[in-house]
Amino acid sequence: MSLLINFTIGFLAAFIGVIPPGLLNMYAAKISMKEGRKKGLMFSLGVCITVMVQTYIALIFARFLDMHPEYVDILQKVGLGIFICLTIYFFFIAKDNSRQMPESVEPHSKTNRFFSGMLLALLNLLPLPYWLYISITFAGFGWFSFGQLEIFSAVLASGMGTFLMLALYVWFFRKKDKPQQKMVNMNYIIGGITAVISVITFFKIFNGY
Protein backbone atom coordinates (compact mmCIF):
# COMPACT_ATOMS: atom_id res chain seq x y z
CA MET A 1 0.00 0.00 0.00
CA SER A 2 2.84 2.38 0.84
CA LEU A 3 4.29 1.82 -2.63
CA LEU A 4 1.02 2.92 -4.22
CA ILE A 5 0.69 5.95 -1.96
CA ASN A 6 4.25 7.05 -2.69
CA PHE A 7 3.66 6.54 -6.40
CA THR A 8 0.45 8.59 -6.34
CA ILE A 9 2.04 11.45 -4.41
CA GLY A 10 5.11 11.37 -6.64
CA PHE A 11 3.08 11.40 -9.83
CA LEU A 12 0.69 14.18 -8.80
CA ALA A 13 3.44 16.34 -7.31
CA ALA A 14 5.53 16.06 -10.47
CA PHE A 15 2.55 16.66 -12.76
CA ILE A 16 1.44 19.76 -10.84
CA GLY A 17 4.98 21.06 -10.46
CA VAL A 18 5.51 21.26 -14.23
CA ILE A 19 2.22 23.07 -14.97
CA PRO A 20 3.60 26.65 -14.67
CA PRO A 21 5.40 27.67 -17.86
CA GLY A 22 9.15 27.45 -17.43
CA LEU A 23 12.27 27.00 -19.52
CA LEU A 24 11.91 23.23 -19.90
CA ASN A 25 8.25 22.89 -20.82
CA MET A 26 8.26 25.92 -23.09
CA TYR A 27 11.41 24.68 -24.81
CA ALA A 28 9.76 21.31 -25.35
CA ALA A 29 6.78 23.09 -26.88
CA LYS A 30 9.04 25.13 -29.18
CA ILE A 31 10.85 22.00 -30.36
CA SER A 32 7.49 20.41 -31.12
CA MET A 33 6.46 23.40 -33.21
CA LYS A 34 9.73 23.69 -35.12
CA GLU A 35 10.92 20.09 -35.43
CA GLY A 36 7.92 17.91 -34.77
CA ARG A 37 6.40 16.09 -31.82
CA LYS A 38 8.83 13.16 -31.87
CA LYS A 39 11.83 15.36 -31.14
CA GLY A 40 9.80 17.24 -28.56
CA LEU A 41 9.02 13.98 -26.80
CA MET A 42 12.65 12.87 -26.95
CA PHE A 43 13.66 16.15 -25.33
CA SER A 44 10.98 15.59 -22.66
CA LEU A 45 12.26 12.08 -22.01
CA GLY A 46 15.77 13.41 -21.42
CA VAL A 47 14.38 15.98 -18.98
CA CYS A 48 12.57 13.23 -17.07
CA ILE A 49 15.75 11.17 -16.61
CA THR A 50 17.46 14.12 -14.94
CA VAL A 51 14.38 14.90 -12.85
CA MET A 52 14.31 11.33 -11.57
CA VAL A 53 17.95 11.57 -10.48
CA GLN A 54 17.27 14.91 -8.77
CA THR A 55 14.21 13.45 -7.06
CA TYR A 56 16.19 10.51 -5.75
CA ILE A 57 18.88 12.80 -4.30
CA ALA A 58 16.22 14.99 -2.66
CA LEU A 59 14.40 12.00 -1.14
CA ILE A 60 17.62 10.53 0.28
CA PHE A 61 18.31 13.85 1.98
CA ALA A 62 14.66 14.03 3.12
CA ARG A 63 15.01 10.59 4.70
CA PHE A 64 17.94 11.91 6.73
CA LEU A 65 15.91 14.92 7.86
CA ASP A 66 12.96 12.68 8.70
CA MET A 67 15.16 10.96 11.29
CA HIS A 68 15.96 14.35 12.86
CA PRO A 69 12.60 15.97 13.76
CA GLU A 70 14.24 19.11 15.14
CA TYR A 71 15.37 20.08 11.64
CA VAL A 72 12.00 19.17 10.12
CA ASP A 73 10.12 21.57 12.40
CA ILE A 74 12.37 24.45 11.40
CA LEU A 75 12.09 23.54 7.71
CA GLN A 76 8.29 23.43 7.83
CA LYS A 77 7.98 26.80 9.57
CA VAL A 78 10.36 28.48 7.15
CA GLY A 79 8.62 26.79 4.22
CA LEU A 80 5.20 27.94 5.44
CA GLY A 81 6.38 31.56 5.53
CA ILE A 82 7.89 31.30 2.06
CA PHE A 83 4.79 29.74 0.47
CA ILE A 84 2.45 32.26 2.11
CA CYS A 85 4.56 35.09 0.69
CA LEU A 86 4.57 33.44 -2.74
CA THR A 87 0.78 33.00 -2.62
CA ILE A 88 0.26 36.68 -1.79
CA TYR A 89 2.70 37.71 -4.50
CA PHE A 90 1.17 35.65 -7.32
CA PHE A 91 -2.44 36.49 -6.41
CA PHE A 92 -2.18 40.21 -5.59
CA ILE A 93 1.15 41.66 -6.70
CA ALA A 94 2.43 39.89 -9.82
CA LYS A 95 1.38 41.32 -13.15
CA ASP A 96 0.56 39.40 -16.31
CA ASN A 97 4.02 38.21 -17.27
CA SER A 98 3.08 35.27 -19.47
CA ARG A 99 6.18 33.26 -20.31
CA GLN A 100 7.40 33.52 -23.87
CA MET A 101 8.99 30.60 -25.63
CA PRO A 102 12.54 30.66 -26.99
CA GLU A 103 12.69 32.53 -30.27
CA SER A 104 14.89 30.04 -32.10
CA VAL A 105 15.57 26.34 -31.90
CA GLU A 106 18.32 24.90 -34.04
CA PRO A 107 17.70 21.48 -35.64
CA HIS A 108 19.09 18.46 -33.80
CA SER A 109 18.76 14.71 -34.12
CA LYS A 110 16.46 12.76 -31.82
CA THR A 111 19.44 11.49 -29.86
CA ASN A 112 20.83 14.99 -29.44
CA ARG A 113 17.44 16.21 -28.29
CA PHE A 114 17.38 13.49 -25.64
CA PHE A 115 20.76 14.55 -24.23
CA SER A 116 20.00 18.25 -24.57
CA GLY A 117 16.91 17.62 -22.43
CA MET A 118 19.05 15.94 -19.77
CA LEU A 119 21.63 18.72 -19.77
CA LEU A 120 19.12 21.57 -19.78
CA ALA A 121 17.27 19.98 -16.87
CA LEU A 122 20.50 20.03 -14.87
CA LEU A 123 20.31 23.82 -14.88
CA ASN A 124 16.98 23.64 -13.09
CA LEU A 125 17.66 22.93 -9.42
CA LEU A 126 14.09 23.54 -8.22
CA PRO A 127 13.20 19.82 -8.04
CA LEU A 128 15.65 19.40 -5.17
CA PRO A 129 13.99 21.72 -2.61
CA TYR A 130 10.56 20.97 -4.10
CA TRP A 131 10.77 17.22 -3.48
CA LEU A 132 12.48 17.73 -0.17
CA TYR A 133 9.61 19.86 1.06
CA ILE A 134 6.83 17.72 -0.47
CA SER A 135 8.16 14.45 0.95
CA ILE A 136 8.81 15.84 4.44
CA THR A 137 5.35 17.42 4.58
CA PHE A 138 3.46 14.30 3.51
CA ALA A 139 5.66 12.10 5.69
CA GLY A 140 4.56 14.21 8.63
CA PHE A 141 0.98 13.11 7.94
CA GLY A 142 2.08 9.51 7.62
CA TRP A 143 1.31 9.52 3.89
CA PHE A 144 4.86 9.16 2.59
CA SER A 145 7.40 6.44 3.38
CA PHE A 146 11.17 6.53 3.05
CA GLY A 147 11.80 2.82 2.53
CA GLN A 148 14.09 2.03 -0.39
CA LEU A 149 11.33 0.53 -2.55
CA GLU A 150 8.97 3.38 -1.63
CA ILE A 151 11.59 5.92 -2.70
CA PHE A 152 12.09 4.13 -6.01
CA SER A 153 8.31 4.17 -6.51
CA ALA A 154 8.16 7.93 -5.96
CA VAL A 155 11.17 8.51 -8.23
CA LEU A 156 9.58 6.51 -11.05
CA ALA A 157 6.30 8.37 -10.57
CA SER A 158 8.08 11.74 -10.67
CA GLY A 159 9.53 10.87 -14.07
CA MET A 160 6.15 9.73 -15.39
CA GLY A 161 4.30 12.77 -14.07
CA THR A 162 6.89 15.14 -15.49
CA PHE A 163 6.84 13.41 -18.87
CA LEU A 164 3.04 13.50 -19.07
CA MET A 165 2.87 17.25 -18.46
CA LEU A 166 5.71 17.93 -20.90
CA ALA A 167 3.95 15.73 -23.45
CA LEU A 168 0.82 17.84 -23.02
CA TYR A 169 2.88 20.94 -23.79
CA VAL A 170 4.34 19.20 -26.83
CA TRP A 171 0.88 18.19 -28.01
CA PHE A 172 -0.74 21.55 -27.23
CA PHE A 173 1.80 23.43 -29.32
CA ARG A 174 1.91 20.89 -32.13
CA LYS A 175 0.72 23.39 -34.73
CA LYS A 176 2.89 26.24 -35.88
CA ASP A 177 0.62 28.89 -34.45
CA LYS A 178 1.80 32.13 -32.97
CA PRO A 179 2.82 31.47 -29.37
CA GLN A 180 1.17 34.71 -28.22
CA GLN A 181 -2.25 33.28 -29.04
CA LYS A 182 -1.76 30.47 -26.55
CA MET A 183 -0.03 32.35 -23.76
CA VAL A 184 -2.05 32.80 -20.59
CA ASN A 185 -1.26 34.40 -17.27
CA MET A 186 -0.21 31.51 -15.01
CA ASN A 187 0.10 33.58 -11.83
CA TYR A 188 -3.23 32.35 -10.47
CA ILE A 189 -2.32 28.71 -11.11
CA ILE A 190 1.04 29.10 -9.35
CA GLY A 191 -0.63 31.02 -6.53
CA GLY A 192 -3.22 28.26 -6.16
CA ILE A 193 -0.50 25.61 -5.89
CA THR A 194 1.41 27.55 -3.23
CA ALA A 195 -1.84 28.23 -1.36
CA VAL A 196 -2.67 24.52 -1.17
CA ILE A 197 0.84 23.72 0.07
CA SER A 198 0.56 26.52 2.65
CA VAL A 199 -2.73 25.14 4.00
CA ILE A 200 -1.33 21.61 4.25
CA THR A 201 1.78 22.86 6.05
CA PHE A 202 -0.24 25.04 8.43
CA PHE A 203 -2.41 22.14 9.54
CA LYS A 204 0.67 19.96 9.94
CA ILE A 205 2.36 22.52 12.20
CA PHE A 206 -0.91 23.22 14.06
CA ASN A 207 -1.48 19.51 14.74
CA GLY A 208 2.05 19.26 16.06
CA TYR A 209 1.26 21.45 19.01
Side-chain angles (χ1 to χ4, degrees), residues 48-64 127-132 135 144 146-159:
C48 293
I49 297 300
T50 298
V51 168
M52 291 173 65
V53 173
Q54 292 172 325
T55 302
Y56 180 75
I57 294 173
L59 293 183
I60 292 299
F61 186 53
R63 181 168 62 183
F64 168 80
L128 295 173
Y130 178 75
W131 282 106
L132 179 65
S135 60
F144 195 92
F146 288 105
Q148 195 63 42
L149 290 179
E150 285 79 4
I151 288 179
F152 285 144
S153 177
V155 168
L156 177 62
S158 71

Short mmCIF file of all heavy atoms in Angstrom, two decimals, residues 48-64 127-132 135 144 146-159:
data_model
loop_
_atom_site.label_atom_id
_atom_site.label_comp_id
_atom_site.label_asym_id
_atom_site.label_seq_id
_atom_site.Cartn_x
_atom_site.Cartn_y
_atom_site.Cartn_z
N CYS A 48 13.11 14.11 -18.12
CA CYS A 48 12.57 13.23 -17.07
C CYS A 48 13.66 12.39 -16.42
O CYS A 48 13.61 12.12 -15.21
CB CYS A 48 11.50 12.32 -17.65
SG CYS A 48 10.03 13.20 -18.17
N ILE A 49 14.66 11.96 -17.19
CA ILE A 49 15.75 11.17 -16.61
C ILE A 49 16.49 11.99 -15.56
O ILE A 49 16.78 11.52 -14.45
CB ILE A 49 16.73 10.71 -17.71
CG1 ILE A 49 16.02 9.78 -18.71
CG2 ILE A 49 17.93 10.01 -17.10
CD1 ILE A 49 15.45 8.53 -18.10
N THR A 50 16.78 13.24 -15.89
CA THR A 50 17.46 14.12 -14.94
C THR A 50 16.59 14.40 -13.73
O THR A 50 17.07 14.41 -12.59
CB THR A 50 17.87 15.43 -15.62
OG1 THR A 50 18.78 15.17 -16.69
CG2 THR A 50 18.52 16.38 -14.63
N VAL A 51 15.31 14.64 -13.96
CA VAL A 51 14.38 14.90 -12.85
C VAL A 51 14.32 13.73 -11.89
O VAL A 51 14.29 13.90 -10.67
CB VAL A 51 12.97 15.22 -13.39
CG1 VAL A 51 11.94 15.21 -12.27
CG2 VAL A 51 12.96 16.58 -14.10
N MET A 52 14.35 12.51 -12.42
CA MET A 52 14.31 11.33 -11.57
C MET A 52 15.56 11.24 -10.69
O MET A 52 15.49 10.89 -9.51
CB MET A 52 14.16 10.08 -12.43
CG MET A 52 12.79 9.95 -13.09
SD MET A 52 12.68 8.58 -14.28
CE MET A 52 12.89 7.16 -13.19
N VAL A 53 16.71 11.57 -11.27
CA VAL A 53 17.95 11.57 -10.48
C VAL A 53 17.88 12.64 -9.39
O VAL A 53 18.25 12.40 -8.22
CB VAL A 53 19.17 11.83 -11.39
CG1 VAL A 53 20.44 11.99 -10.56
CG2 VAL A 53 19.34 10.69 -12.39
N GLN A 54 17.40 13.84 -9.75
CA GLN A 54 17.27 14.91 -8.77
C GLN A 54 16.29 14.53 -7.66
O GLN A 54 16.51 14.83 -6.48
CB GLN A 54 16.83 16.20 -9.46
CG GLN A 54 17.88 16.79 -10.38
CD GLN A 54 17.34 17.96 -11.20
OE1 GLN A 54 16.17 17.98 -11.59
NE2 GLN A 54 18.19 18.94 -11.45
N THR A 55 15.20 13.88 -8.04
CA THR A 55 14.21 13.45 -7.06
C THR A 55 14.81 12.45 -6.08
O THR A 55 14.57 12.52 -4.87
CB THR A 55 12.99 12.82 -7.76
OG1 THR A 55 12.42 13.77 -8.68
CG2 THR A 55 11.92 12.42 -6.75
N TYR A 56 15.57 11.52 -6.60
CA TYR A 56 16.19 10.51 -5.75
C TYR A 56 17.14 11.16 -4.74
O TYR A 56 17.13 10.83 -3.54
CB TYR A 56 16.96 9.49 -6.61
CG TYR A 56 17.62 8.41 -5.79
CD1 TYR A 56 16.87 7.38 -5.24
CD2 TYR A 56 19.00 8.43 -5.58
CE1 TYR A 56 17.48 6.38 -4.48
CE2 TYR A 56 19.61 7.44 -4.83
CZ TYR A 56 18.85 6.42 -4.28
OH TYR A 56 19.45 5.45 -3.52
N ILE A 57 17.95 12.10 -5.20
CA ILE A 57 18.88 12.80 -4.30
C ILE A 57 18.10 13.54 -3.21
O ILE A 57 18.45 13.49 -2.02
CB ILE A 57 19.76 13.77 -5.09
CG1 ILE A 57 20.68 13.00 -6.04
CG2 ILE A 57 20.59 14.65 -4.15
CD1 ILE A 57 21.48 13.88 -6.98
N ALA A 58 17.02 14.23 -3.62
CA ALA A 58 16.22 14.99 -2.66
C ALA A 58 15.57 14.07 -1.63
O ALA A 58 15.52 14.39 -0.44
CB ALA A 58 15.15 15.79 -3.40
N LEU A 59 15.08 12.91 -2.06
CA LEU A 59 14.40 12.00 -1.14
C LEU A 59 15.39 11.33 -0.17
O LEU A 59 15.03 11.05 0.98
CB LEU A 59 13.63 10.94 -1.92
CG LEU A 59 12.44 11.46 -2.73
CD1 LEU A 59 11.71 10.31 -3.42
CD2 LEU A 59 11.47 12.24 -1.84
N ILE A 60 16.61 11.07 -0.63
CA ILE A 60 17.62 10.53 0.28
C ILE A 60 17.93 11.54 1.38
O ILE A 60 18.05 11.19 2.57
CB ILE A 60 18.90 10.16 -0.49
CG1 ILE A 60 18.63 8.97 -1.42
CG2 ILE A 60 20.03 9.83 0.48
CD1 ILE A 60 18.20 7.71 -0.72
N PHE A 61 18.06 12.80 0.99
CA PHE A 61 18.31 13.85 1.98
C PHE A 61 17.10 14.02 2.90
O PHE A 61 17.24 14.25 4.11
CB PHE A 61 18.64 15.16 1.27
CG PHE A 61 19.06 16.26 2.21
CD1 PHE A 61 20.08 16.06 3.13
CD2 PHE A 61 18.45 17.50 2.15
CE1 PHE A 61 20.47 17.08 4.00
CE2 PHE A 61 18.83 18.52 3.01
CZ PHE A 61 19.84 18.31 3.93
N ALA A 62 15.89 13.91 2.32
CA ALA A 62 14.66 14.03 3.12
C ALA A 62 14.57 12.90 4.14
O ALA A 62 14.08 13.11 5.25
CB ALA A 62 13.45 14.01 2.20
N ARG A 63 15.02 11.72 3.76
CA ARG A 63 15.01 10.59 4.70
C ARG A 63 15.91 10.88 5.90
O ARG A 63 15.57 10.55 7.04
CB ARG A 63 15.45 9.31 4.00
CG ARG A 63 15.44 8.08 4.89
CD ARG A 63 15.60 6.81 4.10
NE ARG A 63 16.88 6.75 3.39
CZ ARG A 63 17.22 5.75 2.58
NH1 ARG A 63 16.38 4.74 2.37
NH2 ARG A 63 18.39 5.76 1.95
N PHE A 64 17.05 11.52 5.64
CA PHE A 64 17.94 11.91 6.73
C PHE A 64 17.26 12.92 7.65
O PHE A 64 17.31 12.80 8.88
CB PHE A 64 19.23 12.49 6.17
CG PHE A 64 20.08 13.18 7.20
CD1 PHE A 64 20.89 12.45 8.05
CD2 PHE A 64 20.07 14.56 7.31
CE1 PHE A 64 21.68 13.08 9.01
CE2 PHE A 64 20.85 15.21 8.26
CZ PHE A 64 21.65 14.46 9.11
N PRO A 127 13.70 21.10 -8.54
CA PRO A 127 13.20 19.82 -8.04
C PRO A 127 13.80 19.38 -6.71
O PRO A 127 13.14 18.66 -5.94
CB PRO A 127 13.58 18.83 -9.17
CG PRO A 127 13.61 19.66 -10.39
CD PRO A 127 14.16 20.99 -9.94
N LEU A 128 15.01 19.81 -6.42
CA LEU A 128 15.65 19.40 -5.17
C LEU A 128 14.91 19.92 -3.94
O LEU A 128 14.45 19.13 -3.10
CB LEU A 128 17.12 19.82 -5.17
CG LEU A 128 18.00 19.14 -6.23
CD1 LEU A 128 19.40 19.77 -6.25
CD2 LEU A 128 18.10 17.65 -5.95
N PRO A 129 14.75 21.25 -3.77
CA PRO A 129 13.99 21.72 -2.61
C PRO A 129 12.50 21.37 -2.70
O PRO A 129 11.85 21.18 -1.67
CB PRO A 129 14.21 23.25 -2.64
CG PRO A 129 14.56 23.55 -4.05
CD PRO A 129 15.31 22.36 -4.55
N TYR A 130 11.98 21.29 -3.92
CA TYR A 130 10.56 20.97 -4.10
C TYR A 130 10.24 19.59 -3.54
O TYR A 130 9.31 19.43 -2.74
CB TYR A 130 10.20 21.05 -5.58
CG TYR A 130 8.77 20.69 -5.90
CD1 TYR A 130 7.74 21.58 -5.61
CD2 TYR A 130 8.44 19.48 -6.51
CE1 TYR A 130 6.42 21.27 -5.92
CE2 TYR A 130 7.14 19.15 -6.80
CZ TYR A 130 6.13 20.05 -6.51
OH TYR A 130 4.82 19.72 -6.81
N TRP A 131 11.02 18.59 -3.94
CA TRP A 131 10.77 17.22 -3.48
C TRP A 131 11.15 17.05 -2.03
O TRP A 131 10.54 16.23 -1.31
CB TRP A 131 11.52 16.23 -4.37
CG TRP A 131 10.81 16.01 -5.65
CD1 TRP A 131 11.16 16.49 -6.89
CD2 TRP A 131 9.60 15.28 -5.84
NE1 TRP A 131 10.24 16.11 -7.82
CE2 TRP A 131 9.28 15.36 -7.21
CE3 TRP A 131 8.76 14.59 -4.98
CZ2 TRP A 131 8.14 14.76 -7.74
CZ3 TRP A 131 7.63 13.99 -5.50
CH2 TRP A 131 7.33 14.08 -6.87
N LEU A 132 12.12 17.77 -1.58
CA LEU A 132 12.48 17.73 -0.17
C LEU A 132 11.31 18.19 0.69
O LEU A 132 10.93 17.53 1.67
CB LEU A 132 13.71 18.62 0.08
CG LEU A 132 14.22 18.71 1.51
CD1 LEU A 132 14.74 17.36 1.98
CD2 LEU A 132 15.33 19.76 1.60
N SER A 135 8.03 15.74 0.27
CA SER A 135 8.16 14.45 0.95
C SER A 135 8.12 14.61 2.46
O SER A 135 7.47 13.82 3.16
CB SER A 135 9.45 13.76 0.51
OG SER A 135 10.59 14.55 0.82
N PHE A 144 3.69 9.38 3.45
CA PHE A 144 4.86 9.16 2.59
C PHE A 144 5.88 8.35 3.37
O PHE A 144 6.16 8.64 4.53
CB PHE A 144 5.48 10.49 2.15
CG PHE A 144 6.45 10.38 1.00
CD1 PHE A 144 6.02 10.51 -0.31
CD2 PHE A 144 7.80 10.12 1.24
CE1 PHE A 144 6.91 10.40 -1.37
CE2 PHE A 144 8.69 10.01 0.19
CZ PHE A 144 8.25 10.14 -1.11
N PHE A 146 9.80 6.37 3.54
CA PHE A 146 11.17 6.53 3.05
C PHE A 146 11.91 5.20 2.94
O PHE A 146 13.13 5.17 2.97
CB PHE A 146 11.95 7.48 3.96
CG PHE A 146 11.52 8.91 3.83
CD1 PHE A 146 10.76 9.51 4.82
CD2 PHE A 146 11.87 9.65 2.71
CE1 PHE A 146 10.37 10.83 4.71
CE2 PHE A 146 11.47 10.97 2.58
CZ PHE A 146 10.71 11.57 3.59
N GLY A 147 11.16 4.09 2.83
CA GLY A 147 11.80 2.82 2.53
C GLY A 147 12.41 2.85 1.14
O GLY A 147 12.00 3.65 0.29
N GLN A 148 13.38 1.99 0.89
CA GLN A 148 14.09 2.03 -0.39
C GLN A 148 13.14 1.80 -1.57
O GLN A 148 13.20 2.52 -2.57
CB GLN A 148 15.21 0.98 -0.40
CG GLN A 148 16.21 1.19 -1.52
CD GLN A 148 16.96 2.51 -1.40
OE1 GLN A 148 17.36 2.92 -0.31
NE2 GLN A 148 17.14 3.20 -2.51
N LEU A 149 12.27 0.80 -1.46
CA LEU A 149 11.33 0.53 -2.55
C LEU A 149 10.33 1.67 -2.70
O LEU A 149 9.95 2.02 -3.83
CB LEU A 149 10.58 -0.78 -2.28
CG LEU A 149 11.41 -2.07 -2.40
CD1 LEU A 149 10.54 -3.28 -2.08
CD2 LEU A 149 11.99 -2.20 -3.81
N GLU A 150 9.92 2.26 -1.58
CA GLU A 150 8.97 3.38 -1.63
C GLU A 150 9.61 4.59 -2.32
O GLU A 150 8.95 5.31 -3.08
CB GLU A 150 8.50 3.74 -0.22
CG GLU A 150 7.50 2.79 0.39
CD GLU A 150 8.15 1.52 0.93
OE1 GLU A 150 9.41 1.44 0.89
OE2 GLU A 150 7.43 0.63 1.39
N ILE A 151 10.88 4.81 -2.05
CA ILE A 151 11.59 5.92 -2.70
C ILE A 151 11.69 5.68 -4.20
O ILE A 151 11.44 6.59 -5.00
CB ILE A 151 12.99 6.10 -2.08
CG1 ILE A 151 12.88 6.69 -0.68
CG2 ILE A 151 13.86 7.00 -2.97
CD1 ILE A 151 14.22 6.88 0.01
N PHE A 152 12.02 4.45 -4.59
CA PHE A 152 12.09 4.13 -6.01
C PHE A 152 10.73 4.33 -6.68
O PHE A 152 10.64 4.78 -7.83
CB PHE A 152 12.57 2.70 -6.21
CG PHE A 152 14.04 2.52 -5.99
CD1 PHE A 152 14.54 1.36 -5.41
CD2 PHE A 152 14.94 3.51 -6.35
CE1 PHE A 152 15.90 1.19 -5.20
CE2 PHE A 152 16.30 3.36 -6.15
CZ PHE A 152 16.78 2.19 -5.57
N SER A 153 9.66 3.99 -5.97
CA SER A 153 8.31 4.17 -6.51
C SER A 153 8.02 5.64 -6.76
O SER A 153 7.49 6.01 -7.82
CB SER A 153 7.29 3.59 -5.53
OG SER A 153 5.96 3.82 -5.98
N ALA A 154 8.39 6.49 -5.81
CA ALA A 154 8.16 7.93 -5.96
C ALA A 154 9.03 8.51 -7.07
O ALA A 154 8.59 9.39 -7.83
CB ALA A 154 8.44 8.65 -4.64
N VAL A 155 10.26 8.03 -7.18
CA VAL A 155 11.17 8.51 -8.23
C VAL A 155 10.62 8.16 -9.61
O VAL A 155 10.60 9.00 -10.53
CB VAL A 155 12.58 7.90 -8.04
CG1 VAL A 155 13.44 8.16 -9.28
CG2 VAL A 155 13.24 8.49 -6.81
N LEU A 156 10.17 6.92 -9.78
CA LEU A 156 9.58 6.51 -11.05
C LEU A 156 8.35 7.34 -11.38
O LEU A 156 8.16 7.80 -12.51
CB LEU A 156 9.21 5.03 -11.00
CG LEU A 156 8.51 4.45 -12.24
CD1 LEU A 156 9.41 4.55 -13.46
CD2 LEU A 156 8.10 3.00 -11.99
N ALA A 157 7.52 7.58 -10.37
CA ALA A 157 6.30 8.37 -10.57
C ALA A 157 6.64 9.81 -10.94
O ALA A 157 5.94 10.43 -11.75
CB ALA A 157 5.44 8.34 -9.31
N SER A 158 7.71 10.36 -10.35
CA SER A 158 8.08 11.74 -10.67
C SER A 158 8.47 11.87 -12.14
O SER A 158 8.14 12.87 -12.79
CB SER A 158 9.24 12.19 -9.77
OG SER A 158 10.46 11.54 -10.12
N GLY A 159 9.17 10.85 -12.65
CA GLY A 159 9.53 10.87 -14.07
C GLY A 159 8.30 10.78 -14.96
O GLY A 159 8.19 11.49 -15.96
#
